[in-house]
Amino acid sequence: MKKIYKSLTIIVIIIVFLLLINYGIFLFNIFKQKINFSEASALKRENFLLKDIMNFSFREPSGLNYKNKHSIIIFGCGFAEGVELEDNQTFAKKLSDYLKIPVYNRGIGGGYIQHAILQVQSGQINNEIKNSNSIIYVIDCLAPSASRLKVYPGNYFSPEFLYSKKLYPVLKKDNDNTLVLKSTRFPSISGNFLNRLISKFFKELLYSNNIDLAQKDIAYNLIILNKELKRINPNIKLVVLVYMDSRNAIKTFHNLLTKENIKVVYADELTRLNTEELLSDKYVTPIHKHPNETIWNIITPAIAKELMN
């Protein structure tokens, strides 16, 4: 009995010790980064829900004045959303003005393919999908960005993710050969910031050291996105715009998608600029180094031609 009591005491001490470390580091970073307490949580976490996907502040659609025309929907991360850009500087607005059609910007800064899949699965943009003949998914690069399929993006201590009350959305395979939102019975444990940091480290290490796996996992998610879209509109066409990687560098990814009749286009081929040039100060925003208005002015007419082919 004494051994059991001693073991339980040790376990309790370890748990209390870990909780103190957790809360101490939490408070340190809260004050250091001047985070609002109401927007963060030291211990309590919640599962991300399907309804949460529509609570993001999406940009307003462009070109709704063009009546009786098929529209285009753009999905992706901050590249698609247009982080640091005014509405009239974004890819969506440029494409709408160039083609004279409605364009819906469904990009989410810090988002990834699962955010697009969840938007389609929500059923709340069915009308837009039914009235569109093309979907464009803008992807920055494949590795290590592939880790965003499993863990939050950005640097390790990004407060909006590390201390978020909601878990970063992750999908899992369903029995129906599709992907559904993953939930956990103990979100406060899996969402603990130590677990988040450890998970992020190993997932980024995994994809950085296995480029082939990164290509396959990203391609699989885009193929599922395509299938979800076609359930609503069988005639819709998915086009993937790869911003940083070249065609030769990601042959596995390219072949997997083209086999599913998903068109893949590359920024370096559309612009005749190499990756180093695309990421130069001339073509990126000053803070987040995302595509700026200048590069979208070059890409827009080139991708418009691809859409018409």
Side-chain angles (χ1 to χ4, degrees), residues 112 139-148 207 211 214-216 218-219 222 240 242-245 249-254 266:
Y112 208 50
I139 190 166
D140 51 2
C141 61
L142 269 62
S145 293
S147 64
R148 282 184 283 170
Y207 285 117
I211 306 302
Q215 294 185 57
K216 289 177 179 178
I218 294 175
L222 288 169
V240 178
V242 181
Y243 195 81
M244 295 185 203
D245 293 307
I250 50 174
K251 290 180 179 179
T252 299
F253 172 82
H254 184 92
Y266 299 85

Side-chain angles (χ1 to χ4, degrees), residues 29-40 157 159-160 163:
N29 281 286
I30 284 289
F31 287 111
K32 182 180 179 181
Q33 300 187 51
K34 299 178 181 179
I35 303 168
N36 191 326
F37 268 94
S38 64
E39 298 175 356
F157 291 94
E160 65 270 31
Y163 303 119

Side-chain angles (χ1 to χ4, degrees), residues 99-122:
L99 293 175
K100 308 299 184 203
I101 60 172
V103 176
Y104 294 87
N105 188 340
R106 308 297 301 183
I108 296 176
Y112 208 50
I113 307 167
Q114 61 265 42
H115 291 80
I117 293 173
L118 292 174
Q119 288 183 65
V120 177
Q121 291 179 342
S122 75

